[in-house]
């Protein structure tokens, strides 16, 4: 199946929109194929501000209506106590909120940006998406991450080369309680590293320390800015370490 065929079968859709590469291209494809579409972004303490800014920017550029919903993820012990299945419970809350709002707006078909490169068995939260009958047209149509980036670039979407960015809660080890203070420390630290020109990296929590993970090609930038990185991140962490098992 091709995307234009999918939207012929589903001409009225709600899109769970994160502002990332995949859901951005899905929203573009829905618009290009004449679907009646509304985007739904769920704001929570797990999402950094730049994700909302990117989502708002793209929806404006595409001329697509976007609703911003809120989810109080910290209200659930099944989420903030950070068990191994935290993502399942978080996805249930987030997609449940989108499903409710979309149905109130007259949309019975809800889509997400899962693509053909995603492992349906291992990806956290996938079970929650299936349980809520969310459709994944990029996956159904066999579009891989690389193809989505290429098509997004051809379409002129600014998101085409945006690095993958998992939610802030993923920086805190499973089993360690999530707090807003820890989330703010993560967001501030990663925003600082973004300001240095770094792109594909993580600042993970290791006890009270920050463990920085970067790709091999960015190590030199990190070393050159060692003193400023230490000064900034030590505002939030007792120490800063570099993971030499670098991200690829």
């Amino acid at each position: 199946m091709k995307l234009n065929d999918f939207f012929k079968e589903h001409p009225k859709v709600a899109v769970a929109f994160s502002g990332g590469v995949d859901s951005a291209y899905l929203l573009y494809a829905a618009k290009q194929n004449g679907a009646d579409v509304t985007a739904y972004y769920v704001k929570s303490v797990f999402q950094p501000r730049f994700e909302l800014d990117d989502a708002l920017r793209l929806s404006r550029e595409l001329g697509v209506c976007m609703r911003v919903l809120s989810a109080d993820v910290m209200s659930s012990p099944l989420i903030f106590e950070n068990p191994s299945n935290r993502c399942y419970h978080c996805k249930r809350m987030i997609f449940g909120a989108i499903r409710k709002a979309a149905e109130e707006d007259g949309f019975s078909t809800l889509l997400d940006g899962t693509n053909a490169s995603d492992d349906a068995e291992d990806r956290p939260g996938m079970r929650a998406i299936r349980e809520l009958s969310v459709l994944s047209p990029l996956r159904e149509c066999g579009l891989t991450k690389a193809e989505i980036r290429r098509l997004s670039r051809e379409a002129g979407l600014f998101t085409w080369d945006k690095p993958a960015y998992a939610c802030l809660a993923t920086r805190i080890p499973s089993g360690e309680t999530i707090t807003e203070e820890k989330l703010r420390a993560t967001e501030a630290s990663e925003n600082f590293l973004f300001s240095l020109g770094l792109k594909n990296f993580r600042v993970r929590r290791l006890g009270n320390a920050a463990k920085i993970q970067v790709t091999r090609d960015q190590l030199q930038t990190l070393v050159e800015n060692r003193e400023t990185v230490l000064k900034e991140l030590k505002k939030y962490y007792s120490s800063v370490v570099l993971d030499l098992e670098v991200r690829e």
Side-chain angles (χ1 to χ4, degrees):
M1 177 183 286
K2 295 186 180 298
L3 278 177
N4 61 332
D5 296 320
F6 177 90
F7 288 111
K8 285 177 184 176
E9 293 182 12
H10 303 89
K12 184 178 175 71
V13 296
V15 172
F17 185 38
S18 68
V21 178
D22 301 322
S23 60
Y25 183 72
L26 178 60
L27 195 62
Y28 164 82
K31 177 75 172 180
Q32 288 297 108
N33 284 285
D36 177 2
V37 58
T38 293
Y40 293 82
Y41 180 97
V42 178
K43 181 172 63 172
S44 81
V45 292
F46 286 180
Q47 272 66 49
R49 174 69 203 194
F50 76 82
E51 293 280 45
L52 174 57
D53 292 341
D54 284 354
L56 289 168
R57 175 185 168 186
L58 190 74
S59 63
R60 285 194 301 268
E61 291 181 359
L62 295 179
V64 172
C65 175
M66 176 177 138
R67 282 191 61 184
V68 179
L69 311 174
S70 294
D72 185 8
V73 292
M74 297 297 282
S75 67
S76 171
L78 293 171
I79 298 175
F80 73 75
E81 289 182 357
N82 203 14
S84 59
N85 62 347
R86 179 208 73 243
C87 194
Y88 166 78
H89 296 291
C90 191
K91 290 287 189 185
R92 283 284 308 189
M93 179 182 287
I94 289 172
F95 277 84
I98 296 174
R99 169 69 73 191
K100 183 175 183 293
E103 289 180 350
E104 289 172 353
D105 292 341
F107 294 91
S108 59
T109 302
L110 175 57
L111 313 180
D112 90 312
T114 303
N115 65 61
S117 299
D118 293 321
D119 190 326
E121 297 304 319
D122 294 337
R123 185 175 172 184
M126 192 69 75
R127 179 162 66 94
I129 293 171
R130 288 196 298 266
E131 289 173 356
L132 290 166
S133 301
V134 178
L135 301 182
S136 304
L138 300 179
R139 185 177 182 82
E140 290 181 30
C141 296
L143 291 173
T144 64
K145 189 75 167 188
E147 290 171 317
I148 292 164
R149 287 192 184 279
R150 176 181 60 79
L151 291 168
S152 295
R153 186 176 189 179
E154 291 173 0
L157 304 181
F158 74 87
T159 52
W160 76 269
D161 64 344
K162 186 174 178 178
Y165 195 90
C167 84
L168 296 171
T170 62
R171 315 300 194 271
I172 301 170
S174 179
E176 179 180 335
T177 301
I178 298 170
T179 67
E180 292 193 29
E181 181 182 8
K182 292 174 184 177
L183 296 170
R184 284 194 295 269
T186 300
E187 182 171 8
S189 299
E190 293 194 347
N191 281 344
F192 176 73
L193 295 186
F194 276 126
S195 76
L196 297 179
L198 300 178
K199 290 186 177 180
N200 192 5
F201 64 88
R202 297 285 185 268
V203 178
R204 300 196 184 276
R205 195 170 194 91
L206 186 65
N208 291 319
K211 181 172 72 171
I212 302 176
Q213 297 173 318
V214 294
T215 52
R216 191 180 308 278
D217 60 310
Q218 298 182 102
L219 281 172
Q220 187 60 38
T221 299
L222 198 60
V223 171
E224 289 172 357
N225 291 276
R226 174 181 174 275
E227 294 299 329
T228 55
V229 169
L230 286 172
K231 181 180 178 181
E232 185 65 25
L233 270 60
K234 279 194 171 184
K235 293 177 182 178
Y236 314 103
Y237 301 93
S238 61
S239 60
V240 181
V241 300
L242 176 62
D243 187 348
L244 291 180
E245 294 187 62
V246 294
R247 295 167 58 83
E248 297 296 343

